[in-house]
Structure formats: C-alpha cells, structure tokens
Amino acid sequence: MSALILAVLLAALDQTIVSTALPRIAEDLNGFDDIAWVSAAYLLASTAVTPLWGKLGDMFGRKRLYLTSTSIFLIASVACGLARNLPELIGARVLQGVGGGGMIVLTFALVGDIVAPSERGRYQGMFGSVYGVASIVGPLLGGVFTDQLSWRWAFLVNLPFGIVALAIAARALPAAARGAKARIDYLGATVLAAIATGLVLVTSFGGRWGWGSPGIVGLIVAVVVFAALLAPVERRAAAPVLPPAMLGSRTVVFSSLIGFFANAAMFAVLVYLPTYLQIVRGVSATLSGIYMLPLVAGLVVSQSLAGRWAAHVERLRTILLVGLAANLAGLLLLGTIGAATDTLALSVYFLITGIGIGMVPMVVLTTVQNSVPAADLGAASAVVTFARSIGAAFGVAVFGTLLNTGFADRTHALPTAGGFDAGRPDTIGRLPAALRDTALDAFAHATAMGYLWIAPTLAAGILLALFLRPARKGGETADVPTTTADGALTTTADDAPTTAANGVPATAEDTVTAA
C-alpha cells in the first residue's frame, strides 16, 4: 500500500505541479504561445490510455503492467527535466501522461485484487485523500521549486521517490494470475483514445479558441462520430477494451456519471479557489494553501470515515447521497462569497465543501468494483477513472469560461490604461486604487456565480445516486454479465444473488470460476 500510495501521489502531483511553473517555463524555453500544451499534453495522454491500461492489466496481470507504467513515468520525468525546448517538453509530457495514467488506474485495480470487497472503501479512501492533498500541494511545490531551485525540479523530484515506489512494488505486490489469452483490441483502444482526445481538447481549448470556432465544432462532431462507432467496434472484438456488457450495467454507468459530475465540481473548487484567494484577498501562493487547509482537513477526514462506513456495503448509496449533498451545500455557500467575506466564514465554507468532496470519489470506485466479476476489475476501474478525468477537464474548462466571461462583463467599462485587461484578472493590480475595489468585487462575484452555475451538476449526481443499486455485502456481482471462455455471457440478476450448487449464495469469485 505504501508503494501504491506514493505512486498515486506522484502521478496526481504531475497534473498540478507545473501550473505555477508555466510562466518561467515559457520564458526559459521561449514558448509563450504554446505553453498551455505542457499541462494539456499530460491530461490528454493519461486520459486516452486509461482504458487500455485497465484492459491490459486484466489480460496480462496487473503487477507487470504497473511496473512498466511506473518505469515509463520515471523515464519521461527525466526527459521533462532535461528538455531543451518546448516541443521536447511537450513530447516528454505526453510520455509521462501515458505512464501516469497507467499508474493510477492499475493502482485502483490492484486494490481490488488484494483487498476484500468489504474493505475496499477503506483503502480506496486513502488514495482519494492523496488526490486531494496533491491538488493543493502541487501548485505550492511548483512555486517553491521554480523560485528557489529551477522549474526542472518539478519533474526531476519524481525520480528518487518513484524508484523507491518501484522497488517496494516489485518486491511486495502479489503476482496476479493472467487472464485468458486474446488478441489486443487495438481498434477499440484507438476509438476510445480518439474520443478522449477530442473531449480533452474541447474542454481545454474551447474557451481559448472560441466555443463556436470551426476547430471546436469539428472536434465535437468527431467525438460524436467516434462515440457512435464505439459500441459496434467493441461488440466485434474478441477481448474488448470496454466490454459492451459493462455499458449495460446501471451500476457502472450511473457511478461513472456521478464520478464525472463530482470531479467536475471538485476541480472547479481546487483549481480556482486559490486564484480567488490570491487575487481578491491578496495573499501569496503559499498562504493561499494555508487558507485551504480547512478544505483539505474536511477532505481527508471524510475520506477516512467514508472508507470505514463503506465496509458495510449496504451503506454505499447512503454515503454517496450524503457526500453529494454536502458538496452541493458547499458550492451553494461558495456562491455567496464576496470581496469582504471574512476568514472564519470562508473556513467554514471550505470545510463543508471538503467534507463533501472527500466522501464521493472512492466510494464511486468501490461501488463499481463490487459490482463486477474479478476478471473485469481493471476494465471497470478504467471506466470510472476515464469518466473522472474527463469530468476534471470539463469542470476546469467550463468554470474558467464562466469566470472569465463574468469578470469581463462586469469590468468592460473600466479604463485599460496602464495595462489592465478585462479578459485577464491578474492585471487588476495595474488599476488605479480608486477602481481596484470595483474590479475585486467583480472578480469575487464572477467566482461566486461560477460555483452557482456548477452546482446543478451535483444535483444531477444526487438524482442518479437515488437509482443506484450497489452490490450486496460480500461483493456479489450486481448487474454485469461475466464473459465465458467461448465469449458467451452469463448474467447475474440485479435482484437475486447468484446461487451455487449447494444452495449457498455465490460470491463474485464463485461466479467467475463457474463461468
């Protein structure tokens, strides 16, 4: 577990640690126009390869794939740290995303391998806490490395910790049995990668290129076309990357959608609250992290409690509903913030939001893992991870558009003399003192309205959670058919447990063995 947690920490940090280093990277490598690709390349690659890593783990054993993905990540980290120009850095970030995506999804699947269904929630909660902490600590570390050492250390720091994680994993992880031999579904993996690429590009660059621009519209059309091709392609595959039966599972589909909505809200909070603190409250990047400690505390505590409560798997839906409701309440409270909101009130809002954020993601993953046969753990984990990654990109992109549009609408009449730009909130400091308060009020209002606009996504998640039917205690398969050696499907009913020959309710393992 120590090796897996360390690996997830590194992979999660590399999604956020470069954000504060980007201006210095652009300056050193002379690439201001394309600097956004440094972040987008990692997100794009890690999202696109997630389903393939999950399926390959099912087929060839997760331990060897985990060691491979970690090695790729470390090699790419060195390449990032030694990059001589921006194209080299972007290429290395793509490779790093390929490894990081595998590390995350295989870690979640490995927990499903080595932990009993009734205990998965507790252990998955640890990884959720790591994700939340990484989202806050990453930008701070990036700033420290950039100011005190070099931006290159934001990548090179992965090497010593990654080698330790690799050594522990090689020695301690059990060698899982390989699945049935089958041809790799290259066509299905390509179609899924194309869908992921289109979605990430749309969400990452829609605001910059224009949501109605030919490039964005073309990407949306391409995503729709590939999405329509996915089901026919996977039905014809001998070992589909995304088993069609899984798409017919209410638990998998609803849980993935809940993960999408929850991650969209979570990253809108984690990415833009520090921006609000730094611009409106005038604090440093380091101090903004201290302001965020109530949120991190709520996240870590609720993750731990949710993991313990998830040991009673009948409560999974209840935990999801409570977490989504708390998260929704937090967003509604954040929708009231202004330039004059006092620190105590902010701390309470952050705490409630953190509690809601922490209770949802890993419970969603545990719900899905407990609903599928052991042979499909990797693919199921990949589906949820894929949905959450797209949700994160969606939340950041949509909130950023809402924030910038709202700010520009309320400050378009302010004078631009001195370098103030209504499309760039970071130029507020260039305004005369008499107008600065007006701009700060406008930015605070735009931030609050953005959270109110995001809140309905959590309401949709609550509605979906009401219709979830999680697996019963003991981890029985809920509603996903098991694939037999000859490709036939054996379905386990939603409303009645599978029964063995002796009349005893069968576990998921029994179902797989019988198939």
Side-chain angles (χ1 to χ4, degrees):
M1 292 302 298
S2 62
L4 296 180
I5 288 174
L6 186 56
V8 167
L9 176 62
L10 293 178
L13 278 175
D14 267 78
Q15 295 178 345
T16 60
I17 197 171
V18 300
S19 59
T20 47
L22 287 179
R24 188 68 56 81
I25 294 173
E27 182 180 345
D28 288 354
L29 300 183
N30 193 26
F32 284 95
D33 292 339
D34 299 315
I35 194 62
W37 282 101
V38 175
S39 295
Y42 184 92
L43 178 62
L44 185 64
S46 61
T47 304
V49 301
T50 290
L52 183 59
W53 279 118
K55 186 60 182 180
L56 291 176
D58 287 337
M59 294 172 60
F60 300 109
R62 273 177 273 280
K63 178 177 180 177
R64 67 181 66 189
L65 269 296
Y66 175 83
L67 298 176
T68 300
S69 63
T70 304
S71 300
I72 292 172
F73 178 83
L74 295 179
I75 292 171
S77 296
V78 174
C80 288
L82 300 179
R84 296 166 297 179
N85 52 58
L86 198 61
E88 284 186 10
L89 179 59
I90 293 172
R93 285 286 281 174
V94 170
L95 186 62
Q96 194 180 39
V98 170
M103 289 164 65
I104 291 176
V105 68
L106 291 169
T107 293
F108 293 153
L110 279 164
V111 173
D113 283 338
I114 63 180
V115 178
S118 61
E119 297 293 320
R120 285 174 187 162
R122 182 187 305 177
Y123 285 92
Q124 299 285 16
M126 299 179 187
F127 297 107
S129 300
V130 167
Y131 245 101
V133 171
S135 300
I136 303 297
V137 173
L140 300 182
L141 284 179
V144 170
F145 285 136
T146 301
D147 293 337
Q148 305 301 324
L149 296 171
S150 165
W151 60 263
R152 298 180 185 275
W153 280 100
F155 304 109
L156 297 176
V157 72
N158 293 329
L159 201 58
F161 295 104
I163 290 174
V164 170
L166 194 65
I168 296 174
R171 179 176 179 180
L173 281 179
R178 295 176 57 166
K181 290 184 178 179
R183 294 178 61 187
I184 298 174
D185 179 19
Y186 291 109
L187 181 58
T190 302
V191 172
L192 266 177
I195 294 172
T197 300
L199 288 173
V200 172
L201 288 176
V202 167
T203 53
S204 297
F205 295 98
R208 174 177 297 190
W209 297 347
W211 293 103
S213 65
I216 294 298
V217 172
L219 284 170
I220 294 173
V221 171
V223 168
V224 172
V225 171
F226 281 113
L229 293 174
L230 180 62
V233 167
E234 294 299 78
R235 277 197 294 267
R236 291 182 175 88
V241 172
L242 188 62
M246 203 169 290
L247 295 179
S249 161
R250 177 191 299 181
T251 302
V252 174
V253 173
F254 282 16
S255 295
S256 298
L257 287 173
I258 292 171
F260 173 91
F261 292 137
N263 250 37
M266 179 174 78
F267 274 82
V269 169
L270 296 177
V271 171
Y272 288 103
L273 272 185
T275 304
Y276 160 82
L277 291 169
Q278 291 172 40
I279 290 180
V280 177
R281 308 293 293 230
V283 302
S284 65
T286 302
L287 193 56
S288 70
I290 295 175
Y291 270 81
M292 295 284 285
L293 285 178
L295 188 145
V296 176
L299 187 152
V300 172
V301 171
S302 64
Q303 282 279 10
S304 176
L305 292 177
R308 292 180 181 276
W309 293 336
H312 308 282
V313 294
E314 295 91 344
R315 300 182 184 178
L316 285 178
R317 183 168 61 181
T318 302
I319 297 171
L320 276 179
L321 288 171
V322 171
L324 289 166
N327 203 346
L328 176 59
L331 284 189
L332 294 177
L333 289 171
L334 292 176
T336 68
I337 60 177
T341 305
D342 63 77
T343 302
L344 178 60
L346 282 178
S347 297
V348 173
Y349 300 169
F350 291 177
L351 178 64
I352 294 172
T353 306
I355 290 173
I357 287 175
M359 294 184 73
V360 177
M362 294 303 119
V363 176
V364 166
L365 183 60
T366 302
T367 300
V368 171
Q369 288 187 340
N370 288 355
S371 73
V372 301
D376 288 332
L377 273 176
S381 301
V383 169
V384 178
T385 306
F386 181 85
R388 291 177 58 202
S389 296
I390 296 297
F394 176 83
V396 171
V398 170
F399 190 91
T401 299
L402 292 171
L403 176 62
N404 291 332
T405 301
F407 178 72
D409 287 345
R410 295 177 68 88
T411 57
H412 69 278
L414 293 179
T416 58
F420 171 73
D421 182 354
R424 294 187 58 190
D426 60 324
T427 61
I428 289 177
R430 299 174 186 172
L431 282 168
L435 300 175
R436 196 173 302 148
D437 288 343
T438 301
L440 292 177
D441 284 335
F443 187 82
H445 182 271
T447 302
M449 291 304 298
Y451 288 122
L452 291 179
W453 279 108
I454 290 288
T457 62
L458 292 173
I462 291 173
L463 184 62
L464 290 172
L466 290 172
F467 292 94
L468 266 182
R469 283 186 283 183
R472 294 162 294 279
K473 191 169 184 177
E476 294 89 344
T477 305
D479 59 354
V480 181
T482 302
T483 306
T484 64
D486 60 0
L489 295 178
T490 304
T491 305
T492 304
D494 252 339
D495 301 319
T498 305
T499 304
N502 60 2
V504 178
T507 64
E509 183 178 354
D510 296 328
T511 304
V512 176
T513 304

